[in-house]
Amino acid sequence: MGKTKTTNQWENIPFKTETREILNILIHSLYSEREVFLRELISNASDALTRIQFELLTNREVVDPEVELGIWITCDPEAKTLTIRDTGIGMNAQEMSENLGTIAHSGAKAFIEAAQTHAETISDIIGQFGVGFYSAFMVAESIEVISRSYRPDETSARWVAHGEETFSIEPSEKTERGTTVIVHLKEDAAEFAQEDRLRSIIRKHSDFIPYPIHLGESTEPVNEQSAIWRKQPSTISDEDYNNFYQQFSLDMQEPLLKVHLSVDAPVQMYALLYVPASPERSIFSLRKDEGLKLYARKVLISEYSKDLLPPYLRFVDGVVDSEDLPLNVARESIQSNRVIAQLKRVITNKLIDSLKSLGKDNPDKYIDFWKVYSRYIKEGFATDPEAQAALTPLMRFPTSKSPDGWVSLEDYVTASPSHQDKVYYLLGDDVRLMASSPHIEAYKAQGIDVFLMADPLDSFVLLKLDKYDGKELVNVAQVEAPTPSTDPEEDQEENAEDQERVERLLNRIRSVLGDRVSDVRSTKRLVESPARLVDADGALKPELQRVYKMINQTLDEKPKVLEVNLQHPLLIQLGKAGAGKPTTRLVIEQLYENALLLEGNLTDPAGMINRIQELMSAALGDSHD
Ligand code: ADP
Ligand code: MG
């Protein structure tokens, strides 16, 4: 790093204020993952190689048109230097001054702000904001960049910076095309002059750089180069897929699902997507955030792109690589890019299709997926109107016939009798309680299956799902539920005397329960149970009631209607019991609270115990009579 003998216009040029601020942050950062600087320098070399490769397609009038496109890395532990050389497009003095001395205005401001507010995640910030080259200052005392532009009439130059204040540029002797970056390492960064250390960093961060990376004397490139996602799926074993996933994520659990796509229209794309065994990342995971790794022509554009999938599919991890994305797609403009929108559409559709197929071809595996990720799919269904049709086939719920199983709407409809023109469901909190709910007795008796919706999110789903395959979805707890085929003759047989007796009984129950119920009436829809609670006419839909409760909205709940089964022995006896008998009141109270309990709405279980004990003593007393 000799000084030029004569002062010239290129000496001690101050860095722009914002660059200085960034360098200051990086030089003094205590960031522990400093190794990412190498990834950044390699990625710059790779960018430069891609650009010359592009140029060479149409222009052979360049310096060294035949030279191998590659990256050479050497280190000197004694001198504590690390050298990264490429045969890329190169820079002249002017370009060095511009590219290495300043930083895009918006990017700089955003980086400084982000670095101040999220100091912990500075590595992602480094990647995202294009401060790549400067990250070398985390490990460097000084940096030299020697470069020869591809344009034959240019001269080569050498750029040097010792710190955050100034840089200098002077002529250089370099004759071969490309750029050499020499990092003079800080005292505490000597590890980066160890070949073994460098090899593992390259394998970890730059394995799929599409140009050979030569390290030290070794003749074989250290990087894999050919990206697995660009290969033919038929040539890749399950083990290869899992190995790649582990290398990529450090998640030691096998992924639940992988989807490998190679698409040509409407947009060219390779994608290798994984559904992790669990949506929670371990602290050892290499993937620190949600989003897909996005490459444009094998060059990494974004480590965590959140623009390629709808938010509800955020648990998906993997790589997307498109030939149709412009390489210079500025990082801030990714979201508004038209190709990105197309990629998102294709990836989302293909992913949902794969899940659908899995549900058909490997139902057990699909249920494993559903148990872990149903809340994401339901979230998508409830929040993304465009996705509803596509997501409906992914839904699974237990039913009254298989309370431990998971039934799709399609299978439900296929299995139901041809005359059944509705899809029935019950909302609740506990599948086991629901399976023995009085609400489904009449359906059971007729052999009709009922979906048991016990997940809090099901209410949100039901608010958007009112029909399937032309069949209306009906809540069996609502008054409008259909009557079983009853004999109309039967009704008429009831004589006036009977009706009076019934009215007396209902009135007695009404007077005991008071305004805890809006009414008491008889029903023929119960088979084994003595009573059930149903919504009063004009009450809020049950799913809305649940949604309101869940978002902590207080709502004026209309008291429910108690429906009683007059055929039930308990009611028959109650009808006969003398009005003055003290246990009558207790029995009515208990009847009501049993129904509350089955709804999952009992609020005073201790009070119920007391009453049961009173009833027990009364029963024992009776038996002594
Ligand atoms: P980014 O790569 O996001 O543009 P960097 O800070 O990593 O940001 O690099 C700044 C600029 O310096 C690059 O855009 C490029 O123009 C130039 N540059 C850096 N390294 C090289 C290289 N090895 N060959 C050619 N140009 C380079
Ligand atoms: Mg870069």
Side-chain angles (χ1 to χ4, degrees):
M1 253 177 303
K3 277 198 172 170
T4 42
K5 302 279 182 301
T6 53
T7 28
N8 63 41
Q9 54 157 336
W10 292 112
E11 226 173 306
N12 297 328
I13 307 167
F15 280 114
K16 294 260 161 63
T17 319
E18 275 161 351
T19 310
R20 218 159 41 222
E21 260 181 84
I22 287 170
L23 287 178
N24 188 289
I25 293 170
L26 291 168
I27 290 171
H28 300 110
S29 82
L30 295 173
Y31 177 57
S32 59
E33 282 177 59
R34 294 189 297 179
E35 65 185 39
V36 296
F37 83 91
L38 187 58
R39 175 189 76 193
E40 295 298 325
L41 296 183
I42 290 174
S43 121
N44 285 350
S46 174
D47 288 348
L49 287 160
T50 304
R51 288 172 63 198
I52 190 64
Q53 201 174 32
F54 219 71
E55 187 67 31
L56 282 165
L57 294 175
T58 54
N59 177 13
R60 305 298 295 182
E61 297 294 299
V62 303
V63 176
D64 296 340
E66 302 299 334
V67 74
E68 181 193 354
L69 297 181
I71 300 167
W72 287 260
I73 298 180
T74 54
C75 57
D76 182 343
E78 236 106 277
K80 291 205 288 302
T81 57
L82 165 64
T83 304
I84 296 113
R85 177 172 71 86
D86 65 66
T87 48
I89 196 141
M91 291 176 276
N92 64 19
Q94 184 68 39
E95 289 166 327
M96 280 178 146
S97 167
E98 282 165 11
N99 299 340
L100 306 178
T102 55
I103 181 166
H105 190 81
S106 63
K109 268 218 148 57
F111 172 76
I112 294 167
E113 273 165 29
Q116 280 159 354
T117 45
H118 313 282
E120 343 63 71
T121 55
I122 210 164
S123 85
D124 298 336
I125 298 167
I126 289 166
Q128 281 168 26
F129 290 89
V131 289
F133 173 75
Y134 299 99
S135 64
F137 278 97
M138 292 190 293
V139 299
E141 214 152 67
S142 64
I143 300 178
E144 284 178 71
V145 181
I146 303 154
S147 195
R148 169 73 171 96
S149 160
Y150 73 105
R151 291 183 212 94
D153 53 350
E154 293 286 358
T155 52
S156 53
R158 177 168 165 274
W159 178 102
V160 188
H162 291 270
E164 65 208 74
E165 299 298 331
T166 61
F167 63 89
S168 298
I169 298 179
E170 58 184 40
S172 121
E173 309 286 285
K174 184 175 168 66
T175 51
E176 325 82 66
R177 185 193 72 219
T179 303
T180 303
V181 177
I182 306 171
V183 182
H184 298 265
L185 295 162
K186 288 186 200 170
E187 210 54 58
D188 69 357
E191 61 184 297
F192 300 113
Q194 302 292 337
E195 219 171 276
D196 288 344
R197 179 84 169 95
L198 296 173
R199 181 174 295 107
S200 76
I201 300 173
I202 295 166
R203 292 245 168 91
K204 180 167 161 195
H205 294 292
S206 311
D207 213 20
F208 299 111
I209 290 287
Y211 304 96
I213 303 174
H214 304 277
L215 178 62
E217 301 294 302
S218 68
T219 46
E220 281 291 296
V222 283
N223 59 327
E224 170 79 26
Q225 295 176 64
S226 65
I228 182 173
W229 59 86
R230 287 188 163 234
K231 293 182 183 161
Q232 272 299 317
S234 59
T235 65
I236 309 172
S237 68
D238 282 352
E239 202 188 333
D240 291 340
Y241 278 126
N242 286 346
N243 283 346
F244 171 73
Y245 174 70
Q246 284 189 355
Q247 214 194 70
F248 169 80
S249 64
L250 275 192
D251 180 358
M252 292 304 144
Q253 279 181 285
E254 241 182 64
L256 276 180
L257 179 70
K258 60 131 224 301
V259 179
H260 191 174
L261 305 171
S262 168
V263 176
D264 288 319
V267 61
Q268 196 288 329
M269 169 194 74
Y270 303 96
L272 182 49
L273 309 173
Y274 293 89
V275 175
S278 154
E280 274 85 41
R281 266 165 244 282
S282 95
I283 52 165
F284 303 112
S285 171
L286 275 183
R287 306 290 293 162
K288 303 289 183 213
D289 193 5
E290 286 153 0
L292 301 177
K293 203 162 176 164
L294 175 64
Y295 289 85
R297 301 173 202 173
K298 292 204 239 177
V299 176
L300 185 62
I301 299 289
S302 166
E303 188 72 38
Y304 302 106
S305 172
K306 298 183 176 45
D307 306 313
L308 296 166
L309 285 171
Y312 65 88
L313 292 176
R314 60 188 174 278
F315 56 86
V316 177
D317 214 343
V319 178
V320 174
D321 182 353
S322 174
E323 293 283 313
D324 291 344
L325 268 178
L327 266 183
N328 58 355
V329 56
R331 284 169 164 106
E332 302 102 273
S333 73
I334 284 184
Q335 280 134 300
S336 51
N337 188 288
R338 186 182 48 85
V339 181
I340 293 280
Q342 285 179 320
L343 288 171
K344 177 176 177 176
R345 206 160 31 244
V346 174
I347 295 169
T348 307
N349 292 343
K350 295 273 181 185
L351 200 70
I352 292 174
D353 281 348
S354 303
L355 288 168
K356 239 184 274 183
S357 308
L358 186 71
K360 288 234 182 309
D361 305 339
N362 193 342
D364 289 347
K365 200 161 178 205
Y366 182 76
I367 296 308
D368 287 343
F369 163 81
W370 182 249
K371 284 180 182 159
V372 180
Y373 293 102
S374 60
R375 59 191 160 108
Y376 293 86
I377 304 299
K378 288 174 184 174
E379 172 195 317
F381 189 91
T383 57
D384 186 347
E386 281 172 42
Q388 278 158 14
L391 295 180
T392 305
L394 300 183
M395 302 281 179
R396 300 287 187 278
F397 308 96
T399 69
S400 54
K401 283 187 182 170
S402 41
D404 297 322
W406 297 96
V407 179
S408 68
L409 283 148
E410 188 186 349
D411 288 347
Y412 175 94
V413 168
T414 311
S416 60
S418 54
H419 59 82
Q420 184 184 328
D421 61 350
K422 294 193 164 53
V423 172
Y424 296 106
Y425 68 89
L426 175 65
L427 276 173
D429 303 305
D430 178 337
V431 174
R432 290 235 306 266
L433 266 184
M434 291 160 77
S436 53
S437 160
H439 295 302
I440 57 177
E441 278 174 8
Y443 299 83
K444 264 190 190 157
Q446 295 176 72
I448 298 175
D449 208 3
V450 177
F451 277 119
L452 304 178
M453 311 278 202
D455 176 357
L457 286 177
D458 291 344
S459 298
F460 291 93
V461 171
L462 285 163
L463 285 176
K464 308 276 174 181
L465 181 70
D466 45 10
K467 263 203 169 95
Y468 176 77
D469 195 21
K471 298 178 186 349
E472 202 188 330
L473 268 80
V474 175
N475 186 338
V476 296
Q478 284 188 287
V479 205
E480 304 92 67
T483 35
S485 46
T486 46
D487 190 353
E489 309 284 307
E490 241 181 332
D491 286 352
Q492 286 167 10
E493 270 179 44
E494 273 182 20
N495 55 35
E497 198 189 315
D498 279 345
Q499 275 185 16
E500 209 187 297
R501 207 164 38 76
V502 165
E503 215 29 58
R504 250 202 325 273
L505 174 59
L506 295 182
N507 274 334
R508 193 183 306 157
I509 302 176
R510 283 185 192 117
S511 74
V512 171
L513 296 179
D515 47 0
R516 282 177 285 170
V517 293
S518 1
D519 196 10
V520 179
R521 63 180 174 231
S522 75
T523 181
K524 294 210 156 59
R525 287 175 201 141
L526 294 172
V527 182
E528 282 161 12
S529 299
R532 70 167 179 180
L533 286 163
V534 298
D535 280 330
D537 287 344
L540 220 48
K541 275 182 87 166
E543 31 283 74
L544 260 184
Q545 295 180 21
R546 288 183 167 263
V547 166
Y548 277 125
K549 270 187 209 157
M550 226 177 315
I551 57 179
N552 281 325
Q553 287 266 350
T554 47
L555 69 163
D556 284 333
E557 259 183 291
K558 240 182 147 178
K560 302 227 174 194
V561 173
L562 185 73
E563 290 191 345
V564 293
N565 173 5
L566 294 175
Q567 312 302 317
H568 194 279
L570 196 58
L571 274 294
I572 294 174
Q573 284 199 294
L574 201 58
K576 288 180 190 153
K581 211 172 173 197
T583 43
T584 307
R585 189 187 179 81
L586 292 176
V587 167
I588 291 171
E589 289 277 357
Q590 189 62 34
L591 196 65
Y592 169 69
E593 290 212 345
N594 285 351
L596 268 186
L597 177 71
L598 284 173
E599 298 274 294
N601 286 333
L602 183 69
T603 49
D604 180 20
M608 182 164 165
I609 298 284
N610 288 338
R611 182 179 326 105
I612 289 175
Q613 280 164 358
E614 272 187 69
L615 283 167
M616 286 159 80
S617 326
L620 288 174
D622 277 352
S623 67
H624 281 297
D625 284 347

